[in-house]
Amino acid sequence: MSATDLDTAPTRATPAPVPVPTLGHVHLKVANLDRALGFYRDLLGFEVMERMGADAAFLATDGYHHHLALNTWESKDASPPPPGHTGLFHAAFLYKDRADLGAVVKRVLDAGYRLDGASDHGVSEAVYLRDPDGNGVELYRDRPRADWPRRSDGSLKMTSQRLDLAALLAEAHPEQS
């Protein structure tokens, strides 16, 4: 290939940057809307923004239109999908601080829900469980960014260590648990 050929060779355009999304909401299929509302509204603290009869509800925090939608349109009285199939692993719900996380975990335990796990990820502390329909749920709080563990090159170094659940529960806001 000569220098002249290089001057006339087609050039590839630099791709335009991909717009960066934020997570808008999660929409879950549930078997029983009232039972699901008892979990997400009464235990986790979501507010019902709109209810469509016995078929659907839209829940949020801070007056937003919805962060979480629940419906029985295709799942009324259905059973959860079996393990080993594709689908949502879990929906994660962020609480503002350790005391709030402790309070909601205490509420969930007091209501008889079993935890699947509790982990300290370095950047966050998280508790895992299943909702009444078998959907995976993560309840967590982030540590301040300045406290996130980093490698020598500055990249994040997330971990998965055992979370001291007793210490978390001891820090729960007593008026919220």
Side-chain angles (χ1 to χ4, degrees), residues 102-137:
V104 75
V105 170
K106 184 176 182 328
R107 292 172 62 89
V108 164
L109 291 172
D110 288 350
Y113 287 89
R114 183 181 65 80
L115 300 183
D116 293 339
S119 297
D120 182 338
H121 295 299
V123 297
S124 64
E125 294 178 306
V127 174
Y128 302 92
L129 66 147
R130 301 261 160 214
D131 77 1
D133 291 287
N135 296 305
V137 173

Side-chain angles (χ1 to χ4, degrees), residues 29-50:
K29 293 190 245 183
V30 300
N32 179 299
L33 185 60
D34 288 328
R35 182 181 68 190
L37 285 170
F39 181 80
Y40 288 102
R41 178 194 57 213
D42 302 341
L43 294 178
L44 301 192
F46 283 91
E47 179 183 355
V48 175
M49 303 306 291
E50 170 97 23

Side-chain angles (χ1 to χ4, degrees), residues 119-126 128 143 149-151 156-162:
S119 297
D120 182 338
H121 295 299
V123 297
S124 64
E125 294 178 306
Y128 302 92
R143 286 193 167 89
R150 300 212 175 254
R151 292 181 179 84
L156 280 179
K157 184 180 180 185
M158 293 177 64
T159 62
S160 192
Q161 304 296 318
R162 186 184 72 78

Side-chain angles (χ1 to χ4, degrees), residues 37-108:
L37 285 170
F39 181 80
Y40 288 102
R41 178 194 57 213
D42 302 341
L43 294 178
L44 301 192
F46 283 91
E47 179 183 355
V48 175
M49 303 306 291
E50 170 97 23
R51 182 160 177 169
M52 296 179 166
D55 298 326
F58 298 86
L59 295 84
T61 61
D62 299 326
Y64 189 65
H65 57 78
H66 74 290
H67 295 106
L68 177 65
L70 308 168
N71 79 67
T72 60
W73 299 325
E74 298 176 0
S75 55
K76 186 166 181 58
D77 299 324
S79 58
H85 285 72
T86 59
L88 182 68
F89 185 70
H90 67 239
F93 302 109
L94 175 65
Y95 288 86
K96 72 177 180 172
D97 58 31
R98 196 163 204 261
D100 280 1
L101 177 60
V104 75
V105 170
K106 184 176 182 328
R107 292 172 62 89
V108 164

